Amino acid sequence: MSGVPSRRNGIIRLLSLLGAFALMVIVLAMASPVRGDEGESAREPGSEVGRDVYYKTEGVISGLPAPKTVDNVEHYPRYNFESRVLIWFANQQHLYYGSFVLAVPIFCMIIELMGMVTKDKALARRYDQLAYDFVKISLTAYSLTAILGGILLFTFLTLYPTFFGYLASIFRPVMHLYALLFVAESGTLYIYYYGWDKMREGFLKWIHLSLSVVLNTIGTVLMFLANSWIAFMMSPAGVDEEGRYLGNIWHVMHTALWNPLNIHRILGNMAFGGSVVAAYAAYRFLAARNQEERAHYDWMGYVAMFIAVLFLVPLPFAGYWLMREVYAYRQQMGITLMGGLLAWLFIIQATMIGALFLTTSYYLWQCLGRMRGAEHYQRYIKYLVFIMTVGFLVFITPHTMVMTPAELKAMGGQQHPVLGNYGVMSAKNGGINTIIVTTILSFIWYQRGNKIPTVSWAKFGNIFMGTFFFFAYVNIIWLAVYGYYIPANVRVGLSVPQVATTLSCLVFMTALNLGMLKAAKQGGTVEWGRMSPRSQYALIMLATEFTWMMALMGYIRSSVRLFWHVNEIMRDNSPWAYTHTVGFAANMISFNVLFFWTSILFVFWLASLAVKKQPSHEQESANAPLPHPAVAIKSTGHT
């Protein structure tokens, strides 16, 4: 992996030094005493017993009560600007880059493993090159993540010192662990990247792969620790009703929402990271000067998009689980989210989710154009567009309207006489599950675009697959309609069979299709790089939609606490303890998205400086056929 320009190395070293400095500051800040240390250390151990607000178990009080803040400069120092907006911006940018650098090394690990186990040497080199391209992008982003983490920490310390001091006192047993793991992750990442050339073959290559396993393990633990802070603020545990720490850090971390939040964040980060890498590949594809570059970045974009969609499909179901746990923890929080103050933000979220699947399907339909022999599928695309459009319209239909007091009075209540009959949850679930099933069908069509099954049971397999999808649509739509005729408390349970139907299509039909394509006859070649610019704009749009929706869901999670720093434990008495309007929130989210993509363009540009020339043995195989990831993952060979 030689030929990296010296100017790029210099920039990366500078960013690495800045990142290391930010990490050192974080370690020192977390090691320093916070407010309340003196009182806590003076307390006699075992002097009093408290009752856990969530687990209802007793424990020895080991900390001070949550501070009672007032609106003054001691508790809420401020500039001539809303402090909450500054925290919002710093936190969102750190989260964007943190999600990206968590996801991309996982991609590298999977792709590097695929290259190591395949028997085709030319294909193995392509996989190795692709993994290297991925980690090259994340290296600069990692330094920016550390710098943004330092900025976020200083913002908390200067604008919300009392709240941050309380949170640090609760999580003190793991604060140093978090900082040390951050340093360990940095060192492992730099060894992993700069040791690529030295550990390219033989046993050293397995050591190199092991480094990626260590790197991703550390990154996942870091994410779990960070999620525990968010979960504690939403659903506190391990403290008594006054907010006093009871000595069990596992209870503090393992709150009611920690597990679903972890799953939701893992899937979201992977889908987000894949979409950003796909956008980078699209950027390089559009800027490519020859067919060989276009072929490479077309393949790279498809692999990244494939990974993103792989984690996008189960993401709504993880969201259902998270919302279900929110309702189970505090019903009022669920009502605030889904049927009250924040309900219209979920209409926006529904619009974004529908747009994500529509954009994904559009890209897959465009991909059929690079496959000779896939033309016979294209005449059916208009029917898929119709099905997805209807499902999308059902999914975004609201149950209530935003109205003024005068309009409510004129209407005689909150229930609209026409719209109130629609927008129930079972119908929305039917709409989104129809969209997801259609996306799965589009992907299966793409898998077999230029292939003709040769297995003896191919005819039966096609009939069975068509029948399965038909009855899947019938079951989902029937349950959506049936939901209008049953009580709301029963209607909620209809999501389970709808989700089971969709997951059955994903798992069983994808497996059946791969089985039918085993030793399939090639109906035409795959001409990588022969894609319309529209397909690349679709990848960029996909990444932008992911970015916007991540910021939206982060705002919703924070807003559900209303006027609490820590729900029902520590009240927010700052002048900004109110919920912003939907318009202000949308503008702020859009600004965060714009800033992130402006900064990530710098990362893309920096990565593009390292355009290295292939060694002679790679040039000889430059025209080797590129694999389809979905088939390559199964067979570890090329198609």
Side-chain angles (χ1 to χ4, degrees):
M1 305 294 175
S2 58
V4 179
S6 58
R7 57 174 173 165
R8 178 179 179 274
N9 275 338
I11 296 174
I12 286 183
R13 289 193 184 97
L14 175 61
L15 288 173
S16 300
L17 288 172
L18 290 174
F21 175 74
L23 289 170
M24 182 179 66
V25 170
I26 291 173
V27 173
L28 292 175
M30 289 180 173
S32 62
V34 294
R35 298 183 181 213
D37 279 359
E38 295 81 0
E40 182 179 338
S41 60
R43 181 183 300 274
E44 288 295 330
S47 58
E48 191 177 352
V49 174
R51 185 176 178 84
D52 194 308
V53 292
Y54 176 67
Y55 287 100
K56 306 304 180 184
T57 57
E58 292 185 347
V60 176
I61 294 175
S62 306
L64 296 175
K68 307 293 184 182
T69 59
V70 294
D71 181 15
N72 58 31
V73 294
E74 178 184 357
H75 295 296
Y76 299 105
R78 66 201 70 175
Y79 303 110
N80 294 323
F81 196 77
E82 184 178 335
S83 298
R84 183 174 52 169
V85 170
L86 297 177
I87 285 286
W88 186 352
F89 173 75
N91 199 8
Q92 189 62 60
Q93 296 304 316
H94 180 61
L95 179 63
Y96 278 146
Y97 279 96
S99 301
F100 180 64
V101 300
L102 172 71
V104 172
I106 299 178
F107 304 163
C108 296
M109 178 181 67
I110 296 172
I111 295 170
E112 188 178 8
L113 177 62
M114 289 168 60
M116 291 177 65
V117 298
T118 186
K119 297 179 181 179
D120 188 303
K121 292 185 178 180
L123 181 58
R125 284 193 290 270
R126 287 190 181 277
Y127 278 130
D128 195 65
Q129 173 64 37
L130 187 62
Y132 180 80
D133 286 343
F134 278 8
V135 76
K136 180 173 60 180
I137 301 169
S138 69
L139 191 67
T140 305
Y142 188 85
S143 300
L144 291 176
T145 305
I147 294 170
L148 289 168
I151 293 173
L152 175 62
L153 176 65
F154 280 124
T155 308
F156 267 120
L157 289 173
T158 54
L159 299 180
Y160 289 88
T162 305
F163 163 65
F164 186 80
Y166 171 69
L167 203 63
S169 68
I170 296 295
F171 284 92
R172 182 177 305 157
V174 294
M175 279 290 192
H176 294 83
L177 175 63
Y178 182 87
L180 293 174
L181 284 174
F182 212 160
V183 174
E185 186 184 30
S186 303
T188 307
L189 177 63
Y190 292 131
I191 295 172
Y192 180 68
Y193 175 75
Y194 289 110
W196 206 290
D197 283 338
K198 300 293 185 181
M199 294 184 278
R200 290 184 61 185
E201 297 177 355
F203 180 71
L204 288 178
K205 188 62 176 174
W206 287 103
I207 295 178
H208 190 260
L209 181 65
S210 300
L211 284 174
S212 69
V213 175
V214 173
L215 175 64
N216 288 303
T217 301
I218 296 173
T220 304
V221 173
L222 280 171
M223 186 196 69
F224 286 174
L225 290 174
N227 289 345
S228 68
W229 309 338
I230 302 170
F232 177 81
M233 292 166 65
M234 294 177 67
S235 56
V239 295
D240 66 5
E241 60 183 8
E242 295 183 23
R244 295 177 293 187
Y245 176 53
L246 300 181
N248 191 330
I249 189 61
W250 176 247
H251 282 181
V252 171
M253 296 172 58
H254 193 236
T255 68
L257 302 181
W258 191 46
N259 285 335
L261 190 61
N262 285 335
I263 299 301
H264 193 257
R265 290 286 293 273
I266 287 176
L267 295 175
N269 290 349
M270 294 294 288
F272 170 71
S275 69
V276 172
V277 174
Y280 167 75
Y283 161 80
R284 295 302 306 272
F285 178 96
L286 294 171
R289 298 181 180 179
N290 56 64
Q291 179 59 26
E292 184 181 343
E293 287 186 6
R294 280 190 289 271
H296 175 72
Y297 289 111
D298 182 15
W299 182 53
M300 181 180 182
Y302 174 72
V303 173
M305 189 281 306
F306 172 78
I307 294 173
V309 173
L310 192 66
F311 291 93
L312 169 64
V313 170
L315 186 57
F317 309 133
Y320 292 153
W321 182 32
L322 177 58
M323 289 300 104
R324 183 186 180 93
E325 294 301 319
V326 169
Y327 268 100
Y329 173 72
R330 287 288 186 277
Q331 188 178 37
Q332 186 56 48
M333 288 177 66
I335 293 172
T336 301
L337 283 170
M338 305 295 291
L341 182 65
L342 304 175
W344 268 85
L345 293 174
F346 274 90
I347 298 296
I348 299 175
Q349 181 229 31
T351 305
M352 297 304 299
I353 291 176
L356 280 170
F357 282 102
L358 283 167
T359 306
T360 300
S361 296
Y362 178 79
Y363 176 76
L364 290 172
W365 300 333
Q366 288 288 305
C367 288
L368 292 173
R370 73 157 81 96
M371 306 169 75
R372 298 299 168 256
E375 294 81 6
H376 59 285
Y377 286 106
Q378 294 182 344
R379 64 177 179 267
Y380 300 110
I381 290 176
K382 56 181 175 289
Y383 303 111
L384 299 185
V385 172
F386 174 77
I387 293 172
M388 296 190 78
T389 302
V390 172
F392 179 65
L393 292 175
V394 171
F395 188 46
I396 66 173
T397 300
H399 187 56
T400 58
M401 294 291 291
V402 177
M403 290 172 286
T404 64
E407 291 171 333
L408 284 171
K409 183 178 180 180
M411 198 171 64
Q414 192 173 7
Q415 196 81 358
H416 192 278
V418 177
L419 193 64
N421 298 319
Y422 302 97
V424 299
M425 203 61 203
S426 63
K428 291 178 179 293
N429 287 338
I432 187 58
N433 279 283
T434 299
I435 292 173
I436 296 174
V437 168
T438 307
T439 303
I440 295 169
L441 182 59
S442 299
F443 179 68
I444 287 176
W445 282 6
Y446 174 78
Q447 280 185 310
R448 59 166 58 194
N450 67 330
K451 298 180 179 65
I452 303 172
T454 58
V455 293
S456 58
W457 47 275
K459 183 177 180 180
F460 171 78
N462 286 330
I463 295 174
F464 180 80
M465 184 178 293
T467 304
F468 196 97
F469 272 105
F470 174 76
F471 280 105
Y473 280 119
V474 170
N475 188 47
I476 291 171
I477 294 171
W478 176 78
L479 289 171
V481 175
Y482 178 63
Y484 286 101
Y485 299 95
I486 58 178
N489 60 337
V490 181
R491 184 190 304 143
V492 174
L494 294 182
S495 62
V496 176
Q498 288 175 323
V499 169
T501 302
T502 303
L503 291 178
S504 297
C505 289
L506 174 64
V507 176
F508 297 128
M509 293 302 98
T510 302
L512 175 62
N513 191 55
L514 289 175
M516 292 177 65
L517 295 179
K518 189 175 182 180
K521 178 182 176 182
Q522 293 287 337
T525 59
V526 180
E527 299 179 358
W528 293 97
R530 298 191 182 277
M531 290 281 283
S532 67
R534 295 191 306 275
S535 64
Q536 307 307 303
Y537 295 136
L539 290 180
I540 295 172
M541 182 177 178
L542 186 71
T544 305
E545 290 164 350
F546 265 120
T547 311
W548 209 95
M549 193 171 70
M550 275 189 66
L552 174 67
M553 294 311 298
Y555 172 70
I556 291 174
R557 278 198 307 270
S558 296
S559 297
V560 74
R561 290 182 284 109
L562 301 177
F563 45 80
W564 296 97
H565 287 309
V566 180
N567 191 38
E568 301 176 359
I569 295 293
M570 183 178 180
R571 189 182 178 94
D572 182 357
N573 289 310
S574 70
W576 312 287
Y578 60 88
T579 303
H580 280 297
T581 63
V582 173
F584 182 89
N587 289 334
M588 187 63 192
I589 290 168
S590 299
F591 175 75
N592 270 310
V593 171
L594 180 63
F595 187 89
F596 170 75
W597 280 103
T598 302
S599 62
I600 203 70
L601 282 175
F602 168 73
V603 176
F604 288 173
W605 169 78
L606 197 59
S608 68
L609 294 179
V611 179
K612 59 181 179 47
K613 299 180 179 179
Q614 293 177 321
S616 59
H617 64 273
E618 292 189 23
Q619 290 178 346
E620 293 173 0
S621 61
N623 296 321
L626 293 166
H628 291 265
V631 178
I633 289 174
K634 179 176 180 291
S635 62
T636 65
H638 66 283
T639 59

